């Protein structure tokens, strides 16, 4: 462990040299006022009161609403409960309140479960046949290694959870709706209401088709990956590197019970994890935006001829049976860095705001972590109607969320590229080196798996382990006898590793990711009343 800390220090020093001038330019304006305000918030916060929706004659929704939330998925429901519990009056508008049926959002990492506990929502994984997940089993070329989450320091209940996404969301919605000051309404938000550059509320269409407007000092948009409102609040640069093809396997058991399984297949990874006591989710990654057609049988043929020979023998029969049943689903995998506009009165959250490749199952962990950050930031801020002040603290949110979000985002993008097959010899070596490095156990597996699980949100540790894998790969090439060809491949391996991770880090923001304390908003605290 000492070795890792020393190297982390060296990496930090190297990166710190580049940004050192910021530490001198920006004063470290530590405020004791924040602590005082936070301590007084619990006694001064307004008590929950019922927020009845009353429709006026001109189509406006009357009543005192503190926060409008667009969308009641994982992020929206958790936000509604969190702010409702803090005494805010919340109006949630969701396009469809029936149970969702999705093939992603089914795996919550241990770090996300800890955030669920912090928000008081841990009972939402009860009574939905959720399964505990203790780590991953990694398969490559007939070999496998088991990587366990480092959970020794936590309560026995702390682990990952996998479940049916729709069941989990319905439990979250029920929990939010149980608060008297939270109103859930089915409707479609068509636009944000803007006045002099400030978002004042939303215009929406009810389930019955009535056009209404609703007003609040803060509008939080979390209407998912297909958001039609994000363009007015951020610069969306959505990439679709691949698609997931989803199946449900029945009447079989995973080789390693209560572990997610990642098959390093050709051309890209295959995932297996339990979603109930009798069902296993299979997600086959297909690179690119076009997949074989499901309707004409091309997909079934592709799965049987290309994918089936590469999966563990214990799952083969159930896999073929799932294909023959015909319930094959597809879902584009989206990646989008967080690039928000600073907009008074509005905020983006969840997949509407920030997405990463779902290979590592980090999306819900990022969303729940963001909610904890926002809750703590806004708790002492009583007057949400002060739009300019509120906007300044929302800028702080964008900075304070970075360590956790950027670590999970960067790891997801980097691992997907490393785990995907390539004809390039250097990329092949990097893939093999990653498998062998993780198979070493100890700090070599605990470090990366703690990053993936959200238990160690340290970007510097991520960079350390990523390049340790690359150096390990070069060492394998050069020992026992280096040759010019192997030296050249090793050089290209290091270059390729840099080409994978540095663009992702750049998109996330180097300064915000590694040195958030040099960003002025980092020290901004709510005023004391």
């Amino acid at each position: 462990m000492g070795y890792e800390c020393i190297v982390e220090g060296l990496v930090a020093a190297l990166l710190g040299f580049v940004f050192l001038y910021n530490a001198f330019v920006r004063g470290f304006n530590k405020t004791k006022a924040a602590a005082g305000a936070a301590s007084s918030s619990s006694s001064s916060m307004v008590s929950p009161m019922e927020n009845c929706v009353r429709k006026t004659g001109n189509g406006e929704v009357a009543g005192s609403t503190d926060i409008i939330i667009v969308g009641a998925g994982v992020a929206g429901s958790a936000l509604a409960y969190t702010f409702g519990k803090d005494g805010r009056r919340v109006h949630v508008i969701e396009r469809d309140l029936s149970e969702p049926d999705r093939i992603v959002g089914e795996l919550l990492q241990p770090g996300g479960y800890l955030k669920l506990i912090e928000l008081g929502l841990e009972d939402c994984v009860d009574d939905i046949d959720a399964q505990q997940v203790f780590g991953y089993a990694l398969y490559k070329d007939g070999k496998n290694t088991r990587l366990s989450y480092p959970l020794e320091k936590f309560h026995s209940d702390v682990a990952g959870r996998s479940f049916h996404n729709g069941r989990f969301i319905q439990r979250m919605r029920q929990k939010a709706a149980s608060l008297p000051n939270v109103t859930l309404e089915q409707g479609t938000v068509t636009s944000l209401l803007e006045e002099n550059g400030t978002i004042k509320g939303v215009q929406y269409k009810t389930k019955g088709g009535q056009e209404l407007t609703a007003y609040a000092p803060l509008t939080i948009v979390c209407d998912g990956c297909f958001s039609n409102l994000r363009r007015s609040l951020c610069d969306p640069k959505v990439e679709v590197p691949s698609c997931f093809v989803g199946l449900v396997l029945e009447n079989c058991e995973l080789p390693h019970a209560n572990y997610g399984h990642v098959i390093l297949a050709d051309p890209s990874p295959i995932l297996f994890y339990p979603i109930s006591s009798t069902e296993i989710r299979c997600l086959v990654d297909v690179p690119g935006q076009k997949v074989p057609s499901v309707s004409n049988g091309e997909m079934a043929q592709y799965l049987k001829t290309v994918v089936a020979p590469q999966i563990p023998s214990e799952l083969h029969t159930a896999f073929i049976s799932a294909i023959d049943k015909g319930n094959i689903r597809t879902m584009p995998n989206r990646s989008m860095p967080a690039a928000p506009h600073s907009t008074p009165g509005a905020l983006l959250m969840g997949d509407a705001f920030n997405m990463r490749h779902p290979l590592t199952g980090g999306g819900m962990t990022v969303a729940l972590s963001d909610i904890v950050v926002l809750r703590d930031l806004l708790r002492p801020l009583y007057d949400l109607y002060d739009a300019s002040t509120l906007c300044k603290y929302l800028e702080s949110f964008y900075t304070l969320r970075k360590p956790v979000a950027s670590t999970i985002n960067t790891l997801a993008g980097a691992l997907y590229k490393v785990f995907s097959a390539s004809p390039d010899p250097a990329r092949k070596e990097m893939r093999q080196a990653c498998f062998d490095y993780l198979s070493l156990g100890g700090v070599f597996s605990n470090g990366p798996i703690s990053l993936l699980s959200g238990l160690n949100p340290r970007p510097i540790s991520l960079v350390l382990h990523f390049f340790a894998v690359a150096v390990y790969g070069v060492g394998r090439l050069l020992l026992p006898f280096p040759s010019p060809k192997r030296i050249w491949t090793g050089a290209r391996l290091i270059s390729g590793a840099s080409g994978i991770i540095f663009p992702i880090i750049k998109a996330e923001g180097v300064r915000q990711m590694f040195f958030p304390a040099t960003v002025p908003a980092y020290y901004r605290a709510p005023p004391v009343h």
Side-chain angles (χ1 to χ4, degrees):
M1 205 62 185
Y3 145 77
E4 184 177 5
C5 292
I6 291 170
V7 181
E8 281 188 17
L10 292 173
V11 174
L14 179 62
L15 291 167
F17 179 76
V18 180
F19 294 94
L20 190 58
Y21 78 95
N22 288 300
F24 293 100
V25 177
R26 309 292 184 188
F28 291 142
N29 183 23
K30 295 187 177 180
T31 59
K32 296 181 181 178
S39 63
S40 65
S41 66
S42 59
S43 59
S44 304
M45 183 62 68
V46 293
S47 60
M49 55 188 294
E50 187 166 358
N51 178 30
C52 297
V53 176
R54 303 192 309 278
K55 291 158 185 154
T56 64
N58 60 0
E60 294 183 1
V61 174
S64 182
T65 301
D66 296 313
I67 299 171
I68 294 171
I69 297 174
V70 182
V74 171
S77 301
L79 277 166
Y81 179 76
T82 299
F83 285 124
K85 195 171 64 169
D86 274 0
R88 310 285 190 187
R89 289 155 298 187
V90 183
H91 182 189
V92 185
I93 305 170
E94 162 61 36
R95 184 183 59 81
D96 185 0
L97 286 172
S98 62
E99 183 173 312
D101 183 15
R102 304 179 67 206
I103 65 170
V104 293
E106 298 172 318
L107 179 62
L108 180 65
Q109 297 289 358
Y113 182 71
L114 288 173
K115 297 299 179 185
L116 211 62
I117 293 173
E118 199 170 342
L119 295 170
L121 289 164
E122 67 273 18
D123 57 347
C124 290
V125 298
D126 297 338
D127 304 321
I128 60 171
D129 201 14
Q131 303 297 299
Q132 285 191 318
V133 178
F134 298 111
Y136 285 87
L138 199 60
Y139 283 72
K140 184 179 186 298
D141 300 332
K143 298 179 180 178
N144 71 86
T145 184
R146 198 165 76 173
L147 312 171
S148 298
Y149 295 133
L151 301 173
E152 297 82 7
K153 297 179 182 179
F154 298 98
H155 186 272
S156 60
D157 187 54
V158 175
R161 291 293 192 282
S162 53
F163 38 67
H164 280 270
N165 172 267
R167 296 176 187 173
F168 180 58
I169 287 177
Q170 289 301 87
R171 289 280 286 138
M172 300 268 277
R173 289 172 177 173
Q174 292 164 11
K175 185 95 171 180
S178 69
L179 298 177
N181 52 321
V182 174
T183 302
L184 263 69
E185 182 179 8
Q186 185 160 309
T188 302
V189 174
T190 54
S191 63
L192 301 175
L193 301 176
E194 184 179 335
E195 183 179 313
N196 299 324
T198 299
I199 303 300
K200 298 291 188 179
V202 300
Q203 184 166 357
Y204 68 102
K205 187 179 291 186
T206 66
K207 186 179 181 181
Q210 186 180 5
E211 290 276 0
L212 296 175
T213 54
Y215 295 93
L218 177 59
T219 299
I220 302 178
V221 176
C222 44
D223 53 347
C225 60
F226 299 105
S227 174
N228 61 346
L229 301 175
R230 67 159 66 102
R231 288 191 175 277
S232 56
L233 299 175
C234 77
D235 295 317
K237 298 177 181 177
V238 181
E239 294 182 3
V240 183
S242 65
C243 295
F244 267 157
V245 179
L247 298 164
V248 174
L249 278 59
E250 298 174 332
N251 304 316
C252 68
E253 294 184 0
L254 290 166
H256 301 273
N258 296 102
Y259 276 72
H261 289 54
V262 182
I263 319 300
L264 302 189
D266 187 355
S268 52
I270 305 166
L271 305 180
F272 294 93
Y273 52 85
I275 54 174
S276 74
S277 54
T278 60
E279 298 165 299
I280 294 170
R281 168 66 71 195
C282 171
L283 293 173
V284 178
D285 186 86
V286 179
Q289 299 183 29
K290 291 188 67 176
V291 298
S293 172
V294 175
S295 58
N296 65 10
E298 287 181 3
M299 179 62 76
Q301 182 67 14
Y302 174 82
L303 293 174
K304 287 183 177 181
T305 57
V306 177
V307 178
Q310 303 184 71
I311 67 172
S313 57
E314 298 95 324
L315 301 172
H316 189 272
T317 301
F319 182 76
I320 297 298
S321 177
I323 297 170
D324 291 338
K325 277 189 175 180
N327 188 20
I328 302 172
R329 308 270 302 282
T330 62
M331 174 77 179
N333 293 324
R334 291 172 170 80
S335 176
M336 185 183 76
H341 298 153
S342 185
T343 308
L347 185 72
L348 276 169
M349 293 283 280
D351 282 350
F353 171 48
N354 183 205
M355 293 179 282
R356 76 291 309 147
H357 195 285
L359 173 68
T360 58
M364 289 188 290
T365 300
V366 171
L368 294 170
S369 174
D370 284 353
I371 292 167
V372 170
V373 170
L374 185 64
R375 177 201 65 181
D376 294 346
L377 190 66
L378 295 187
R379 257 183 177 168
L381 192 62
Y382 312 121
D383 184 12
L384 296 181
Y385 283 91
D386 186 348
S388 61
T389 301
L390 176 61
C391 186
K392 291 177 182 177
Y393 297 121
L394 296 184
E395 289 176 16
S396 296
F397 163 75
Y398 295 132
T399 301
L400 294 169
R401 71 179 291 273
K402 272 295 179 179
V404 174
S406 60
T407 299
I408 292 174
N409 293 346
T410 304
L411 183 63
L415 273 186
Y416 177 69
K417 291 184 178 180
V418 171
F419 282 175
S420 295
S422 171
D424 183 350
R427 286 283 297 275
K428 284 182 178 179
E429 286 294 337
M430 184 70 177
R431 192 187 197 205
Q432 185 64 49
C434 188
F435 179 84
D436 292 343
Y437 181 89
L438 293 171
S439 300
L440 293 173
V443 67
F444 305 105
S445 62
N446 284 344
I449 205 72
S450 65
L451 291 164
L452 183 148
S453 63
L455 297 172
N456 174 25
R458 290 193 294 170
I460 289 176
S461 184
L462 167 60
V463 174
L464 163 69
H465 281 288
F466 189 81
F467 281 103
V469 170
V471 170
Y472 178 78
V474 172
R476 291 173 66 256
L477 282 168
L478 300 185
L479 295 176
F481 302 109
S483 66
K485 182 180 179 181
R486 289 189 166 202
I487 293 172
W488 173 243
T489 302
R492 291 184 62 246
L493 192 156
I494 295 291
S495 174
S498 302
I500 287 173
I501 199 167
F502 285 145
I504 302 173
I505 291 174
K506 183 181 178 182
E508 289 292 325
V510 177
R511 184 180 174 192
Q512 292 87 344
M513 187 170 172
F514 294 99
F515 307 102
T518 68
V519 180
Y522 186 82
Y523 289 102
R524 189 178 286 128
V528 178
H529 294 283

